[in-house]
Amino acid sequence: MSQSIQFSTPSRTTHLLHLPQSRFHRPLTSFSFRQFPLTSSVKYTSIRASSSPSPSPSPDLDSSSSSSQVLHSPNGTGAVRAEERSVVATAVSTDTAGIEVDTVTEAELKENGFRSTRRTKLICTIGPATCGFDQLEALAVGGMNVARLNMCHGTRDWHRGVIRSVRRLNEEKGFAVAIMMDTEGSEIHMGDLGGESSAKAEDGEIWTFTVRAFDSSRPESTISVSYDGFAEDVRVGDELLVDGGMVRFEVIEKIGPDVKCLCTDPGLLLPRANLTFWRDGSLVRERNAMLPTISSKDWLDIDFGIAEGVDFIAVSFVKSAEVINHLKSYLAARARGGEIGVIAKIESIDSLTNLEEIILASDGAMVARGDLGAQIPLEQVPAAQQRIVKVCRSLNKPVIVASQLLESMIEYPTPTRAEVADVSEAVRQRSDALMLSGESAMGQFPDKALTVLRSVSLRIERWWREEKRYESTPLQAIGSTFSDKISEEICNSAAKMGINKNSASFVSSKTKSFVFFSHFYQIQKLAANNLGVDAVFVYTKNGHMASLVSRCRPDCPIFAFTTTTSVRRRLNLQWGLIPFRLSFSEDMESNLNKTFSLLKSRGMIKSGDLVIAVSDMLQSIQVMNVP
Ligand SMILES: Nc1ncnc2c1ncn2[C@@H]1O[C@H](COP(=O)(O)OP(=O)(O)O)[C@@H](O)[C@H]1O
Ligand SMILES: C=C(OP(=O)(O)O)C(=O)O
Ligand SMILES: [K+]
Ligand SMILES: [Mg+2]
């Protein structure tokens, strides 16, 4: 038996189950509860054989499956242990039952149950250390949800190779690894060191920064600079920060295009590292204010990203919402067959000043602490991080905490305790995703670094649940239309019902009676009963409803069913979402039966599990035990 709350206009109460959301053009005036039997004889047949109506084919369906109804299981969760990897690597693409399965999540759900799935998503920057197919597969098996490509480095051909490998991995092994392209931006940076992987600057050395290009190898103690006006703009006495202060110089002399600098803080110079200069204790911003956020090279990279079908574009050094709106309309006109999410990188003073409007315009944000720490005093970075995470949560946008999370693991196999504490704090703030940069791009221990992110995330998330730490401040309402507001209330309620059983007064679904509510806010009273459900199922076409559930950070995992592979990949960035692709209809009863049958046959759920289902086609909440 299932119990459901449906939202409808009075005249339509008898057709609740088939009423699509698009019909809700009038204000809703009442709520009714309805009980319907779930098909009792669930057949463990292949999903291909299911008779429920399927929606019109999407241009984004995998070619291997577009003619059938296929469910992909997720990799939104944890990962398997190292010794299981070889099994995973060979077992994933078996398609005997007409379904494609990402064995990593499947194994984890079977082994540890719902509550142990990882909620915090993990992003790996791909570089020379991780660009091979096997290396990418090891990262996917290790829990990578999103692969990031930094367009500052590498050629387009190199990036194309990585994108295609990730796509192949998804197709062959059932993963849903999304691809995020990160623009270079037009900030000033060093050249590529003539092929060397790094150069060491020692204390007291004099180095030359120049706009001259080198024909052959790099002259000793010389660095090329990307910006022609460099020598004109700097002044003797300026402080030059490489990579946000990892190495520091003082400008001592200008000779034509060459600028002589004294190394005051020694360190490693990495290819194409960012350069900022400070004068009288503050950042020199005039120059950067003139530079376009998206350079002409970035636009060509964006065209490349559209052609290759990337899932997200992260925009470096965003200053205002205007550039985000511009890019979004550019993408809307050109990106066929699927949206590309635009992520605003918050890494400048301007982006902090205009934070709310930038985040509102974007599809997500990144706390890009590397450059942010070069633009504001380091001790202000943690507060900025907390603020950005909070604003994103409030506006329902996914947020990524990035840079130097496990910096020491570029060279060492174990992180510092301080790094573990930093990762824990980002998880505790309940950010959507954590990102590796150099650790995975060119470090010696990319897999180990990912393992650390994974295990720290799991541990802190468990601690959160065990300590029963619920947020006391309610989320602000964000919906503008009445229908949006209802979706929001439904998701808030569903999430509250997901609060851990052990701390909740559990109401048996057998004894619960059905009542007719005449007032919207009664829903909240039901929710306050804290049913302690095992999972929230959300059926969502464009992902919005899933993000609304994720925003509430419920105790239980969220199984997000969507019809296209591109939406499925994009959902993989968001906290707690385990994204599946599934062809479903507007008949929720049939959807649920199909989903139960499929997940049960894979051993991913079992009879008796308590599930809440919400959907954006039919604004409803259904509470039921898996038959
Ligand atoms: N595609 C790539 N090709 C070569 N090296 C890369 C690539 N991506 C990243 N790296 C290396 O990894 C380092 C860290 O990556 P990231 O933090 O993304 O770049 P940056 O240091 O420019 O901010 C880079 O400095 C660079 O040395
Ligand atoms: C993520 C960042 O950007 P990038 O690595 O592109 O400099 C950062 O500055 O923290
Ligand atoms: K970048
Ligand atoms: Mg940056």
Side-chain angles (χ1 to χ4, degrees):
M1 287 295 196
S2 118
Q3 301 175 352
S4 70
I5 306 167
Q6 313 277 353
F7 301 77
S8 77
T9 55
S11 60
R12 298 190 193 273
T13 42
T14 52
H15 306 289
L16 289 172
L17 277 174
H18 305 284
L19 194 61
Q21 187 182 350
S22 57
R23 295 209 200 155
F24 286 105
H25 45 77
R26 283 182 284 154
L28 308 187
T29 52
S30 73
F31 307 94
S32 68
F33 272 38
R34 179 161 179 248
Q35 192 167 22
F36 64 84
L38 279 165
T39 314
S40 52
S41 57
V42 176
K43 289 183 192 128
Y44 290 170
T45 51
S46 125
I47 276 300
R48 285 188 203 282
S50 162
S51 60
S52 64
S54 76
S56 53
S58 152
D60 192 50
L61 299 186
D62 283 338
S63 53
S64 59
S65 56
S66 55
S67 61
S68 55
Q69 298 170 355
V70 174
L71 180 142
H72 296 248
S73 85
N75 84 327
T77 61
V80 287
R81 289 190 298 271
E83 63 266 27
E84 291 165 316
R85 243 189 224 170
S86 56
V87 182
V88 168
T90 52
V92 269
S93 65
T94 49
D95 193 11
T96 48
I99 54 171
E100 285 180 34
V101 161
D102 154 12
T103 318
V104 174
T105 303
E106 188 180 10
E108 206 196 44
L109 280 172
K110 279 183 195 166
E111 216 174 285
N112 305 323
F114 289 165
R115 296 235 170 228
S116 68
T117 55
R118 172 167 50 81
R119 313 296 151 85
T120 312
K121 300 306 180 79
L122 306 179
I123 304 176
C124 301
T125 301
I126 306 304
T130 40
C131 59
F133 186 80
D134 292 347
Q135 292 160 323
L136 290 167
E137 182 175 2
L139 291 178
V141 168
M144 168 175 69
N145 303 103
V146 179
R148 167 187 179 248
L149 294 171
N150 190 348
M151 302 309 282
C152 271
H153 307 281
T155 60
R156 285 195 196 113
D157 279 345
W158 183 91
H159 289 289
R160 184 181 292 109
V162 174
I163 294 171
R164 299 205 170 160
S165 294
V166 173
R167 287 278 178 266
R168 183 151 77 85
L169 195 60
N170 287 345
E171 276 159 29
E172 290 178 6
K173 318 267 177 174
F175 290 106
V177 175
I179 290 169
M180 176 181 294
M181 191 185 98
D182 192 324
T183 63
E184 175 168 340
S186 41
E187 305 308 289
I188 306 166
H189 57 77
M190 306 186 336
D192 61 11
L193 300 182
E196 294 162 70
S197 61
S198 65
K200 182 87 206 293
E202 302 283 2
D203 201 15
E205 281 180 356
I206 311 272
W207 282 64
T208 303
F209 288 77
T210 180
V211 296
R212 295 178 209 270
F214 314 128
D215 295 338
S216 50
S217 63
R218 181 176 64 86
E220 201 181 334
S221 301
T222 304
I223 294 290
S224 66
V225 175
S226 66
Y227 155 55
D228 287 346
F230 179 72
E232 285 78 63
D233 282 8
V234 291
R235 290 190 202 154
V236 171
D238 283 354
E239 200 180 7
L240 188 66
L241 273 67
V242 179
D243 200 7
M246 300 313 287
V247 189
R248 279 170 206 254
F249 294 88
E250 187 191 319
V251 176
I252 52 170
E253 194 182 4
K254 300 205 298 184
I255 313 167
D258 301 337
V259 178
K260 300 272 180 204
C261 300
L262 172 75
C263 180
T264 52
D265 276 344
L268 272 191
L269 303 171
L270 296 173
R272 307 180 73 74
N274 216 286
L275 295 177
T276 44
F277 44 104
W278 287 59
R279 191 171 298 153
D280 305 325
S282 41
L283 182 77
V284 178
R285 294 167 64 193
E286 293 78 16
R287 176 61 220 153
N288 285 356
M290 309 286 291
L291 296 169
T293 302
I294 300 180
S295 69
S296 34
K297 188 250 183 190
D298 291 338
W299 284 114
L300 297 178
D301 285 341
I302 287 165
D303 285 343
F304 163 82
I306 296 169
E308 293 297 324
V310 301
D311 302 294
F312 298 101
I313 293 177
V315 185
S316 294
F317 290 98
V318 173
K319 300 185 195 98
S320 68
E322 205 185 327
V323 72
I324 300 286
N325 290 329
H326 182 189
L327 176 58
K328 288 196 78 160
S329 43
Y330 186 82
L331 294 176
R334 285 165 185 81
R336 283 174 300 113
E339 277 177 49
I340 298 178
V342 174
I343 306 295
K345 289 175 70 185
I346 309 300
E347 50 184 345
S348 64
I349 294 173
D350 294 317
S351 61
L352 285 176
T353 309
N354 304 322
L355 188 66
E356 278 81 2
E357 59 164 66
I358 289 171
I359 290 176
L360 207 53
S362 311
D363 301 306
M366 183 193 294
V367 190
R369 305 185 303 183
D371 284 298
L372 191 59
Q375 296 234 338
I376 62 174
L378 274 184
E379 61 275 18
Q380 288 176 20
V381 174
Q385 173 178 325
Q386 172 134 335
R387 177 178 163 224
I388 299 162
V389 171
K390 233 175 154 172
V391 172
C392 284
R393 178 85 184 282
S394 159
L395 298 175
N396 193 28
K397 310 286 177 165
V399 61
I400 303 157
V401 174
S403 295
Q404 298 185 337
L405 279 100
L406 298 172
E407 187 80 356
S408 74
M409 290 192 78
I410 291 176
E411 284 179 76
Y412 301 100
T414 325
T416 68
R417 278 61 179 154
E419 286 167 341
V420 170
D422 177 51
V423 173
S424 301
E425 176 60 8
V427 175
R428 198 200 55 77
Q429 289 173 348
R430 321 195 92 193
S431 48
D432 288 80
L434 310 176
M435 188 173 107
L436 295 176
S437 294
E439 302 92 330
S440 55
M442 48 73 152
Q444 291 184 49
F445 305 99
D447 297 339
K448 282 203 164 90
L450 187 58
T451 302
V452 171
L453 288 192
R454 201 178 73 225
S455 49
V456 175
S457 299
L458 282 166
R459 190 64 193 85
I460 299 300
E461 292 163 3
R462 203 174 97 203
W463 166 80
W464 181 281
R465 290 192 295 273
E466 285 171 358
E467 297 278 311
K468 303 178 187 41
R469 293 179 175 270
Y470 308 118
E471 289 126 343
S472 46
T473 38
L475 293 169
Q476 80 176 65
I478 44 170
S480 48
T481 65
F482 194 72
S483 178
D484 283 351
K485 285 177 185 159
I486 289 185
S487 295
E488 215 173 296
E489 286 295 335
I490 286 176
C491 293
N492 292 347
S493 298
K496 281 184 191 158
M497 291 186 211
I499 289 173
N500 200 335
K501 260 179 198 159
N502 303 331
S503 63
S505 55
F506 180 69
V507 180
S508 159
S509 57
K510 285 204 182 91
T511 57
K512 212 184 316 150
S513 58
F514 289 86
V515 252
F516 188 90
F517 283 124
S518 60
H519 195 274
F520 188 55
Y521 295 100
Q522 295 281 356
I523 288 292
Q524 295 290 348
K525 289 190 187 161
L526 174 80
N529 281 335
N530 297 344
L531 296 182
V533 297
D534 294 298
V536 175
F537 282 15
V538 50
Y539 295 81
T540 178
K541 289 253 162 92
N542 59 15
H544 181 61
M545 197 81 170
S547 73
L548 285 174
V549 181
S550 163
R551 175 188 187 228
C552 299
R553 307 293 193 252
D555 256 17
C556 63
I558 309 154
F559 285 35
F561 303 99
T562 188
T563 50
T564 64
T565 52
S566 63
V567 174
R568 181 186 172 218
R569 286 194 304 268
R570 279 202 302 280
L571 293 180
N572 217 356
L573 177 65
Q574 295 181 37
W575 191 97
L577 296 185
I578 305 178
F580 291 76
R581 186 168 73 77
L582 171 71
S583 300
F584 54 77
S585 68
E586 280 170 5
D587 176 355
M588 277 299 285
E589 189 173 352
S590 136
N591 294 338
L592 285 166
N593 278 321
K594 178 170 155 181
T595 314
F596 288 154
S597 152
L598 188 68
L599 294 181
K600 274 176 76 178
S601 71
R602 311 291 311 192
M604 295 167 84
I605 57 169
K606 57 185 189 315
S607 288
D609 285 340
L610 187 63
V611 167
I612 289 192
V614 297
S615 121
D616 60 12
M617 300 154 303
L618 176 79
Q619 292 184 307
S620 69
I621 299 184
Q622 288 151 21
V623 187
M624 73 226 81
N625 289 104
V626 175

